[in-house]
Amino acid sequence: MKILDCTLRDGGYYNNWDFEPELVQSYLQAVALSGISYVELGLRNFPKNEFLGPFAYSSENYLKTLELPDGVTYGVMVDAKTILSSQLSIEAAVNALFCEEKNSCVSLVRIAAHFHEVEESKEIANQLKSKGYIVGYNLMQAGGKPDLEIEEKAKEISQWGSVDALYFADSLGNMDANEVQRIVRLIQKHWLGEMGIHTHDNMGRGLANSLTALEAGVEWLDSTVTGMGRGAGNTQTENLMAVLAEKYVELKPNKIYELVIRYFESMQKQYGWGTNLLYFLGAQQSVHPTYIQNLLSNTHIGKDEVVGALQYLLQLNGTSKYDGSVLEAALSLNKNTSEVTGDDVSGLLDGREVLLITNANSVAKHKKALELYIKNNKPIVISLNINKVLDDSFVDYIAITHNLKFLTEKENYSNLSKPIIYPAHRFPAQDVELLADNGNINYGVDIADNTFKVEKTSCLIPSELTIAYGLAFSIAAGANKVTFAGVDGYNSNDSRHLEMIEFFDTIENDLQDNLGFISITPTTYPIKKGSVYAYI
């Protein structure tokens, strides 16, 4: 049994392979003292047109600046695509990236390849072996492949005579024990050498799958500290060692535990790797985890809108391979799909107070008081998206601008009893058909930085904020007072918090005064504050 820790390589997908030097040195010392057999220091790449940290390249010159403790075999990974897509011959590309093993800081090189790249990879493996390296070969996205295809690839690789360890990777994180056993059995029909498994934890099965593979005869087990790795991450090194330490006495996990507590727990809170519902759902439908990772790291959309984008991705075919343009299409669902149009809403709310209300915590906390406020003061109540706190009888309209937001609650929009205010030009026809028509109002919207402009049929607002849209509609419809409830404020480091502050700053003070802007629940935004309890 051999544990290969690849934290600096797989974990780099979260911090652009730019680890703090102090962490790196502590990490290297800890793994050397823990009984871990192999450490993968990073990737080996040609130059990229962006800043990536040292472990995206793991150049020999850089590795020589590190203190690499004895007792561990060090390695790097190279994507087959890196070699095959270069403008060089395979031999020249390998020579450009790798020196002779005897002159190198690393002894192991693993080739990561998709099934369709196997035949073309033969020369890569042969070149690396001729340089004296231990050669590993990782079959990516092995889950779900037909029996015959797995057997054929294993047979092909076995004939090269240059691969020392043949890996299969659960790249989409959706394997279970039966699938692991199936793949091991199929590979073993033609491959007699050592095998390895690289697991992902999207469905919380990483550790179990690693142990299943070990029982089935797999010798090499990949892991990362706290599971730090692309998407939901990998089998956690500390958990794997905790389970195996009783049987394999050479494992000394305490140093890894210290590493977790000292460095990695705080990093995990910062970057957010680890399994969750979205990774689980994506894995079920074979959606590449990078889609989920990039959605979750997008600070300009809320978690519910992430769900909407995921639902869009789940409807597509071919998302097992990451494509940035597909993600962009999912995120562009909020953008205009045609010319801005709308109904003339002038005079609709002449002389009335409008209460713009959200689903924030303060609405639930002060629900009874808000209901009394509505009964006593009789404002026109516009709920920003479907209101999950107030009864329908307290709501007059529902405003929605985000198609992503709509996708998260699509099934609910056909059952509404209240009219919807929405920009029809932003919604595909099939989605418009799902809206219950209770006298819905089409009010157009477009986005322009630092702009708040109200017209009879549409508006320009500075960012994707439903509150800005609801306010613009209220003004266009002739409201003489605007009251807010549930504008609590996001966390100060949430980009949406800054968007809200900038939005309120965009609105002229005279307009705020004329409309009597006031929040009757607690808020951190720069608007006049009051208390709902003063008006009931």
Side-chain angles (χ1 to χ4, degrees):
M1 189 278 303
K2 305 174 180 70
I3 293 177
L4 185 151
D5 188 279
C6 47
T7 304
L8 299 179
R9 194 268 303 172
D10 215 337
Y13 287 99
Y14 271 98
N15 63 357
N16 289 325
W17 295 273
D18 192 17
F19 292 87
E20 293 294 331
E22 180 186 351
L23 178 149
V24 171
Q25 209 55 54
S26 295
Y27 163 81
L28 293 172
Q29 291 169 357
V31 292
L33 294 171
S34 66
I36 288 174
S37 308
Y38 294 86
V39 169
E40 194 165 66
L41 294 168
L43 292 165
R44 188 64 61 86
N45 269 313
F46 291 111
K48 305 275 189 179
N49 294 324
E50 59 181 320
F51 176 79
L52 299 175
F55 299 100
Y57 299 100
S58 308
S59 69
E60 292 291 343
N61 285 336
Y62 178 78
L63 294 183
K64 288 174 183 176
T65 70
L66 301 177
E67 295 179 20
L68 298 175
D70 295 334
V72 175
T73 300
Y74 297 99
V76 294
M77 175 175 279
V78 62
D79 281 337
K81 182 179 179 181
T82 298
I83 304 290
L84 298 174
S85 64
S86 74
Q87 302 302 308
L88 304 171
S89 68
I90 289 178
E91 181 179 2
V94 171
N95 286 336
L97 290 177
F98 295 94
C99 62
E100 298 293 317
E101 186 274 337
K102 64 183 178 182
N103 300 321
S104 175
C105 295
V106 301
S107 299
L108 166 70
V109 179
R110 296 202 296 175
I111 305 162
H114 290 283
F115 274 61
H116 68 271
E117 296 169 325
V118 169
E119 283 75 15
E120 291 181 279
S121 301
K122 176 181 179 180
E123 189 179 347
I124 302 175
N126 290 345
Q127 289 289 328
L128 289 169
K129 175 54 68 175
S130 70
K131 289 180 175 293
Y133 290 101
I134 303 166
V135 177
Y137 195 89
N138 288 32
L139 286 168
M140 295 193 288
Q141 294 191 16
K145 291 290 191 295
D147 289 9
L148 183 59
E149 186 174 10
I150 294 173
E151 286 190 47
E152 287 177 345
K153 301 306 179 184
K155 184 177 181 180
E156 166 74 18
I157 296 166
S158 69
Q159 292 173 349
W160 300 347
S162 54
V163 172
D164 299 286
L166 177 56
Y167 264 80
F168 64 97
D170 182 15
S171 306
L172 302 180
N174 55 8
M175 287 187 187
D176 58 17
N178 289 334
E179 180 68 350
V180 170
Q181 291 168 341
R182 179 183 77 93
I183 293 171
V184 172
R185 184 175 65 254
L186 293 169
I187 291 175
Q188 287 175 335
K189 286 185 177 182
H190 302 282
W191 175 261
L192 302 180
E194 294 187 345
M195 292 178 59
I197 185 171
H198 179 84
T199 56
H200 280 258
D201 210 31
N202 303 51
M203 303 182 80
R205 298 171 181 163
L207 178 60
N209 286 342
S210 295
L211 297 175
T212 296
L214 182 63
E215 291 179 3
V218 170
E219 295 91 348
W220 295 59
L221 307 177
D222 277 14
S223 63
T224 58
V225 179
T226 62
M228 186 181 187
R230 180 155 52 179
N234 310 99
T235 295
Q236 298 92 336
T237 299
E238 61 276 15
N239 293 354
L240 181 64
M241 295 184 73
V243 172
L244 295 179
E246 292 183 7
K247 181 177 180 181
Y248 298 92
V249 296
E250 69 273 16
L251 298 179
K252 310 293 182 185
N254 284 346
K255 290 296 181 181
I256 302 298
Y257 300 159
E258 293 173 12
L259 199 65
V260 169
I261 295 167
R262 186 176 178 187
Y263 294 105
F264 283 85
E265 283 186 340
S266 59
M267 286 178 63
Q268 188 170 17
K269 290 177 182 177
Q270 177 185 356
Y271 291 107
W273 67 84
T275 189
N276 59 34
L277 175 61
L278 298 179
Y279 281 120
F280 189 97
L281 295 175
Q284 274 193 318
Q285 300 297 320
S286 297
V287 173
H288 198 286
T290 300
Y291 286 113
I292 314 299
Q293 180 176 331
N294 288 345
L295 285 172
L296 291 173
S297 64
N298 189 319
T299 57
H300 294 283
I301 59 175
K303 295 296 188 289
D304 47 0
E305 294 166 290
V306 171
V307 173
L310 176 59
Q311 288 181 330
Y312 169 80
L313 293 170
L314 293 177
Q315 297 169 7
L316 303 177
N317 293 319
T319 51
S320 61
K321 181 180 179 181
Y322 179 72
D323 184 337
S325 64
V326 173
L327 179 63
E328 181 62 29
L331 292 174
S332 70
L333 292 175
N334 276 351
K335 298 180 181 178
N336 295 343
T337 57
S338 60
E339 182 181 355
V340 177
T341 59
D343 303 326
D344 185 343
V345 301
S346 56
L348 185 63
L349 305 178
D350 260 358
R352 296 296 300 274
E353 174 191 356
V354 169
L355 174 62
L356 295 175
I357 194 165
T358 75
N359 285 293
N361 292 336
S362 64
V363 175
K365 183 176 182 180
H366 304 292
K367 175 183 177 183
K368 291 182 179 180
L370 289 167
E371 290 175 347
L372 285 172
Y373 181 90
I374 294 168
K375 286 179 180 178
N376 293 344
N377 296 278
K378 296 181 172 51
I380 298 295
V381 179
I382 300 178
S383 175
L384 305 179
N385 305 306
I386 294 176
N387 201 286
K388 302 180 179 69
V389 181
L390 299 182
D391 186 88
D392 278 356
S393 62
F394 292 99
V395 175
D396 297 296
Y397 296 96
I398 296 163
I400 182 170
T401 60
H402 293 216
N403 203 21
L404 285 179
K405 182 74 173 180
F406 168 77
L407 284 173
T408 67
E409 302 175 329
K410 186 160 58 175
E411 66 279 3
N412 297 325
Y413 275 88
S414 60
N415 301 317
L416 294 176
S417 61
K418 301 294 179 177
I420 302 166
I421 306 164
Y422 76 110
H425 59 93
R426 290 184 132 218
F427 289 75
Q430 65 268 25
D431 288 343
V432 173
E433 291 173 2
L434 295 174
L435 300 175
D437 193 351
N438 302 300
N440 296 344
I441 299 170
N442 171 22
Y443 185 65
V445 67
D446 206 350
I447 310 298
D449 289 344
N450 303 313
T451 304
F452 184 75
K453 184 179 180 180
V454 177
E455 304 285 357
K456 292 179 180 180
T457 60
S458 64
C459 61
L460 274 174
I461 57 178
S463 59
E464 289 280 356
L465 293 170
T466 308
I467 190 171
Y469 177 70
L471 176 61
F473 168 81
S474 302
I475 296 170
N480 70 349
K481 181 180 181 181
V482 177
T483 305
F484 301 92
V487 287
D488 301 10
Y490 297 104
N491 189 290
S492 60
N493 60 9
D494 190 318
S495 66
R496 292 171 295 171
H497 186 79
L498 182 60
E499 281 183 336
M500 285 286 284
I501 291 175
E502 290 176 343
F503 160 61
F504 281 115
D505 285 344
T506 301
I507 302 171
E508 296 177 359
N509 290 333
D510 288 348
L511 180 59
Q512 295 196 36
D513 292 340
N514 291 339
L515 291 172
F517 274 23
I518 186 170
S519 174
I520 56 175
T521 56
T523 183
T524 59
Y525 297 125
I527 53 176
K528 184 178 177 182
K529 298 169 179 63
S531 171
V532 62
Y533 295 96
Y535 305 106
I536 60 175

